[in-house]
Amino acid sequence: MNGIIYNFFLHTLVAPFLAAYYLPRVILGRKYRRSFHGKLGRLPADFCTDTLPRPRLWFHAVSVGEVVALSPLVKSLKEVLPEAAFIVSTGTETGQDMAHDLIPEADGFLYLPLDFPAFLNPVVERIEPDLFVLMETEIWPNLISTLKRRGTLVAMANGRISDRSFPRYRRLRAFFSSTLQKIDLFLMSSMQDAARVREMGAPENRISVTGNTKFDAVLRDVPEETEERMRALLDIGRGTQTVVAGSTHPGETEMVLSAYETLLRSFPDLVLILAPRHVEKTPQILSTMAERKMKPPLLRSAVDRGEKRDGRQVIIVDVTGELFQVFSLASVVFMGGSLVPKGGQNILEPAAWGKVVLFGPSMEDFRDARDILVNTGAGIEVRSLKELTRRMAEFLTDEEEASCLGKLGQQEVLRHLGSARKNAEMLAGLLAGKGEGRGATAVCG
């Protein structure tokens, strides 16, 4: 009955909304053009299943954050199941780009179709996965039902139920529990996440706490040469103090610029590297800086065209996939999505470089990382522009203290490694209980 009600609302209410949302953007602009056909159930032209061995493991990571968490898991599974085929789907185009960069082990990439049976059925039939793994929290009733009807095992890895989504899931427990009953294994990031998914209706005997694979992800690649390469690229000398503001949202960007203008009075050579969460917001940032009569910044994209910094003190990172490397340059870091109610961003990445990280009170999506770094002193919550400015000034003044606290945070991140291997072994064990997979069917793009 739940499925009937869900599909009724999906086709009568959601479908017209999706059409009204996507079509103008696809027709009039560039947004969603690459992913649009995939969302309607079309596989890439070069996607061929006739050469894919068994077992076939299909992972879904909706966007960049989930892809980062997935990367070390796939690497660990490749060690445990070297003969398996690995397929990765994403929901966003930025996630797809990141997946190509971070998961070279994958045998194929696609966009996850919208949760309509007409779009899902052909894709599931062609891939014929033995195991489907949802990263973090992606509960799609039709997708899971379609997979289970074909005998596919379904698991949730790095499972996380955010503070924002949990009340909604709990209110709709009667609906979601029937879908959760179809999932064979829940590998949750923390005890709290395990308790929450249990309260939502997941069977207790299928739930395990295996930690957060993002701890493994942030230490995937911290080569010594990265810092020198970034310094040369952006013309930032070793003695130059630098504030990195990562993944900022509208509302926060203005606070960061205000804090920076104040800090310049005491630190006249201070460089600000600003990386907006959505690079398409760069024109608004440029407009804001012009209104404030700030000097024009250097755009990171312009560096690739041969433009030099030439003394400019503000750099805007208007490209994706480079923020992790940029953290290597920081004297102090502010992570966005936290002074506005967005749930925070991944503070483990700057911590992996041994940096002190400032963030606002909205860190619901990264509460484990927040607690770990706060306990070491490497993570500090700020609640206002005044606090943000004061804390930045303190660490710029006492660089030795910033370095000491940053190293403590880095050591704590190292201590939590190993989640990816735990997840990999449990997923391999789930597959081992299934027996031999079905024979392959030859289907090319």
Side-chain angles (χ1 to χ4, degrees), residues 387-403:
E387 251 190 292
L388 174 66
T389 308
R390 177 174 64 84
R391 286 295 196 172
M392 284 183 172
E394 287 175 2
F395 289 116
L396 290 169
T397 300
D398 193 345
E399 292 184 277
E400 187 175 340
E401 175 73 0
S403 177

Side-chain angles (χ1 to χ4, degrees), residues 289 293-297 312-314:
M289 291 183 67
K293 295 182 169 43
M294 297 179 70
K295 294 179 181 178
R312 282 173 285 188
Q313 291 179 255
V314 177

Side-chain angles (χ1 to χ4, degrees), residues 231 238-242 267 270 329-332 354 356 392-407:
R231 288 193 182 281
R238 269 203 171 271
T240 303
Q241 290 187 300
T242 305
F267 308 92
L270 183 65
L329 308 179
S331 305
V332 63
V356 171
M392 284 183 172
E394 287 175 2
F395 289 116
L396 290 169
T397 300
D398 193 345
E399 292 184 277
E400 187 175 340
E401 175 73 0
S403 177
C404 179
L405 291 175
K407 283 184 171 63

Side-chain angles (χ1 to χ4, degrees), residues 26-45:
V26 172
I27 295 169
L28 300 177
R30 296 169 57 189
K31 196 171 185 180
Y32 304 121
R33 280 192 178 177
R34 285 191 292 143
S35 60
F36 184 67
H37 291 294
K39 290 179 184 295
L40 300 184
R42 184 173 176 179
L43 289 171

Side-chain angles (χ1 to χ4, degrees), residues 195-215:
R196 286 179 171 181
V197 80
R198 186 183 304 116
E199 190 171 341
M200 289 161 52
E204 185 165 2
N205 63 347
R206 302 179 195 172
I207 302 172
S208 294
V209 178
T210 50
N212 193 329
T213 61
K214 285 181 179 175
F215 284 99

Side-chain angles (χ1 to χ4, degrees), residues 54-56 128-130 151 153 430-440:
R54 294 286 182 188
R56 294 178 184 174
E128 292 187 318
D130 296 289
L153 292 166
L430 179 65
L431 264 174
K434 180 181 180 180
E436 294 184 4
R438 300 175 299 277

Side-chain angles (χ1 to χ4, degrees), residues 223-298:
E224 293 181 4
E225 65 271 15
T226 295
E227 180 179 349
E228 291 307 319
R229 181 174 58 81
M230 293 305 299
R231 288 193 182 281
L233 184 71
L234 300 178
D235 188 23
I236 297 175
R238 269 203 171 271
T240 303
Q241 290 187 300
T242 305
V243 169
V244 174
S247 297
T248 59
H249 290 253
E252 292 174 318
T253 302
E254 292 78 4
M255 283 192 270
V256 168
L257 291 173
S258 293
Y260 177 67
E261 287 183 299
T262 300
L263 290 168
L264 279 174
R265 299 169 195 163
S266 301
F267 308 92
D269 298 321
L270 183 65
V271 169
L272 170 65
I273 303 180
L274 180 60
R277 178 71 180 90
H278 302 289
V279 296
E280 61 268 24
K281 299 294 184 183
T282 299
Q284 290 94 309
I285 298 173
L286 294 174
S287 177
T288 299
M289 291 183 67
E291 290 171 6
R292 291 169 172 262
K293 295 182 169 43
M294 297 179 70
K295 294 179 181 178
L298 171 68

Side-chain angles (χ1 to χ4, degrees), residues 415-426:
R415 198 173 67 80
H416 283 79
L417 296 180
S419 174
R421 184 71 183 192
K422 292 177 188 174
N423 277 262
E425 289 174 351
M426 295 198 73

